[in-house]
Amino acid sequence: MSGITYVRGDATAPQGKGVKVIAHVCNDLGGWGKGFVLALSRRWPEPEAAYRRWHRERAGNDFALGAAQFVQVGPYLWVANMVGQRGMRTGSKGVPVRYEAIDKALGAVAARAGELGASVHMPRIGCGLAGGKWSRVGPIVQGRLTGEGVPVTVYDHD
Protein backbone atom coordinates (compact mmCIF):
# COMPACT_ATOMS: atom_id res chain seq x y z
CA MET A 1 0.00 0.00 0.00
CA SER A 2 1.60 3.25 -1.06
CA GLY A 3 1.85 5.99 1.52
CA ILE A 4 1.71 3.60 4.47
CA THR A 5 4.97 2.93 6.33
CA TYR A 6 5.28 -0.63 7.64
CA VAL A 7 7.56 -1.37 10.58
CA ARG A 8 8.25 -4.21 13.01
CA GLY A 9 7.43 -3.18 16.54
CA ASP A 10 4.83 -2.26 19.09
CA ALA A 11 2.03 0.09 18.05
CA THR A 12 1.64 1.19 21.70
CA ALA A 13 5.14 2.71 21.44
CA PRO A 14 4.76 4.74 18.23
CA GLN A 15 7.93 5.91 16.49
CA GLY A 16 8.81 9.38 15.26
CA LYS A 17 8.32 12.94 16.42
CA GLY A 18 5.26 15.09 16.89
CA VAL A 19 1.67 14.43 17.88
CA LYS A 20 0.49 10.86 17.35
CA VAL A 21 -2.85 9.03 17.31
CA ILE A 22 -2.89 5.27 17.93
CA ALA A 23 -5.94 3.86 16.11
CA HIS A 24 -7.46 0.47 16.87
CA VAL A 25 -10.74 -1.39 16.44
CA CYS A 26 -13.19 -2.19 19.26
CA ASN A 27 -16.39 -4.24 19.22
CA ASP A 28 -19.95 -2.93 19.65
CA LEU A 29 -20.68 -5.02 22.76
CA GLY A 30 -18.58 -3.16 25.33
CA GLY A 31 -16.10 -6.03 25.59
CA TRP A 32 -12.43 -5.21 26.16
CA GLY A 33 -10.26 -8.18 27.05
CA LYS A 34 -8.49 -9.80 24.10
CA GLY A 35 -6.09 -8.77 21.40
CA PHE A 36 -4.47 -5.35 20.96
CA VAL A 37 -6.58 -3.74 23.70
CA LEU A 38 -4.63 -5.75 26.29
CA ALA A 39 -1.40 -4.09 25.13
CA LEU A 40 -3.09 -0.68 25.39
CA SER A 41 -4.35 -1.43 28.91
CA ARG A 42 -0.90 -2.54 30.03
CA ARG A 43 0.39 0.91 29.08
CA TRP A 44 -2.52 3.22 30.01
CA PRO A 45 -5.78 2.72 31.95
CA GLU A 46 -7.61 5.63 30.27
CA PRO A 47 -8.58 4.11 26.87
CA GLU A 48 -10.32 1.11 28.47
CA ALA A 49 -12.04 3.21 31.14
CA ALA A 50 -13.25 5.72 28.52
CA TYR A 51 -14.47 2.95 26.17
CA ARG A 52 -16.36 1.15 28.93
CA ARG A 53 -17.98 4.44 30.07
CA TRP A 54 -18.83 5.32 26.44
CA HIS A 55 -20.54 1.93 25.98
CA ARG A 56 -22.31 2.06 29.37
CA GLU A 57 -23.72 5.53 28.62
CA ARG A 58 -24.50 4.72 24.94
CA ALA A 59 -28.17 5.68 25.26
CA GLY A 60 -27.01 9.30 25.51
CA ASN A 61 -24.02 9.41 23.16
CA ASP A 62 -22.75 8.40 19.70
CA PHE A 63 -21.54 4.87 20.58
CA ALA A 64 -22.29 2.72 17.50
CA LEU A 65 -20.59 0.98 14.62
CA GLY A 66 -18.45 3.55 12.82
CA ALA A 67 -18.01 5.85 15.82
CA ALA A 68 -14.61 6.94 17.13
CA GLN A 69 -13.64 8.11 20.60
CA PHE A 70 -10.40 10.01 21.24
CA VAL A 71 -8.60 9.56 24.56
CA GLN A 72 -5.52 11.59 25.43
CA VAL A 73 -2.87 9.45 27.14
CA GLY A 74 0.11 11.82 26.97
CA PRO A 75 0.96 15.41 26.07
CA TYR A 76 1.37 14.47 22.38
CA LEU A 77 -0.38 11.09 22.29
CA TRP A 78 -3.98 10.07 21.73
CA VAL A 79 -5.74 6.70 21.38
CA ALA A 80 -8.65 6.38 18.95
CA ASN A 81 -11.16 3.73 20.07
CA MET A 82 -12.96 2.89 16.80
CA VAL A 83 -16.11 0.75 16.86
CA GLY A 84 -15.42 -1.42 13.83
CA GLN A 85 -16.67 -4.90 14.64
CA ARG A 86 -20.11 -6.33 15.31
CA GLY A 87 -19.90 -8.71 18.23
CA MET A 88 -16.83 -10.73 19.10
CA ARG A 89 -17.17 -14.15 17.47
CA THR A 90 -17.34 -15.55 13.98
CA GLY A 91 -20.82 -17.00 13.52
CA SER A 92 -23.65 -17.35 11.04
CA LYS A 93 -23.19 -13.73 9.91
CA GLY A 94 -19.47 -14.29 9.23
CA VAL A 95 -16.52 -12.57 10.87
CA PRO A 96 -17.06 -9.64 13.29
CA VAL A 97 -15.18 -7.02 11.23
CA ARG A 98 -17.34 -4.35 9.57
CA TYR A 99 -15.32 -2.65 6.84
CA GLU A 100 -17.86 0.16 6.36
CA ALA A 101 -17.67 0.95 10.10
CA ILE A 102 -13.86 1.07 9.96
CA ASP A 103 -14.12 3.37 6.94
CA LYS A 104 -16.47 5.75 8.78
CA ALA A 105 -14.38 5.73 11.98
CA LEU A 106 -11.19 6.40 10.01
CA GLY A 107 -12.90 9.47 8.57
CA ALA A 108 -13.20 10.81 12.12
CA VAL A 109 -9.57 9.83 12.80
CA ALA A 110 -8.45 11.72 9.69
CA ALA A 111 -10.33 14.83 10.83
CA ARG A 112 -8.85 14.68 14.35
CA ALA A 113 -5.34 13.99 13.02
CA GLY A 114 -5.72 17.04 10.78
CA GLU A 115 -6.79 19.23 13.72
CA LEU A 116 -3.88 17.99 15.82
CA GLY A 117 -1.29 17.91 13.03
CA ALA A 118 -0.80 14.26 14.01
CA SER A 119 0.46 11.09 12.41
CA VAL A 120 -1.56 7.88 12.84
CA HIS A 121 -0.14 4.62 14.17
CA MET A 122 -1.86 1.23 14.25
CA PRO A 123 -1.55 -2.51 14.17
CA ARG A 124 -3.25 -4.13 11.13
CA ILE A 125 -6.64 -2.99 12.41
CA GLY A 126 -9.59 -5.32 12.03
CA CYS A 127 -7.34 -8.20 10.96
CA GLY A 128 -6.78 -10.01 14.24
CA LEU A 129 -9.70 -11.24 16.34
CA ALA A 130 -12.15 -9.31 14.11
CA GLY A 131 -11.24 -11.64 11.23
CA GLY A 132 -10.72 -9.00 8.55
CA LYS A 133 -8.30 -9.06 5.62
CA TRP A 134 -5.60 -6.40 5.20
CA SER A 135 -6.24 -6.56 1.45
CA ARG A 136 -9.60 -4.90 2.27
CA VAL A 137 -8.56 -2.72 5.26
CA GLY A 138 -5.32 -1.36 3.75
CA PRO A 139 -7.06 0.44 0.86
CA ILE A 140 -9.53 1.99 3.33
CA VAL A 141 -6.61 3.30 5.43
CA GLN A 142 -5.03 4.60 2.26
CA GLY A 143 -8.19 6.35 1.08
CA ARG A 144 -9.15 7.87 4.41
CA LEU A 145 -5.73 8.75 5.80
CA THR A 146 -2.68 8.69 3.52
CA GLY A 147 -4.81 9.85 0.58
CA GLU A 148 -5.70 12.92 2.68
CA GLY A 149 -2.06 13.59 3.58
CA VAL A 150 -2.10 11.98 7.03
CA PRO A 151 1.11 9.97 7.65
CA VAL A 152 0.36 6.38 8.71
CA THR A 153 2.64 3.77 10.27
CA VAL A 154 1.44 0.18 10.55
CA TYR A 155 3.18 -2.01 13.13
CA ASP A 156 3.68 -5.74 12.76
CA HIS A 157 4.45 -7.14 16.20
CA ASP A 158 7.52 -9.37 16.44
Side-chain angles (χ1 to χ4, degrees), residues 89-95 98:
R89 293 196 176 86
T90 298
S92 61
K93 292 187 171 65
V95 295
R98 293 294 179 266

Side-chain angles (χ1 to χ4, degrees), residues 70 105-115 120 144-145 148 150:
F70 299 91
L106 283 174
V109 170
R112 180 60 62 95
E115 291 166 12
V120 175
R144 284 292 189 166
L145 296 171
E148 298 298 318
V150 178

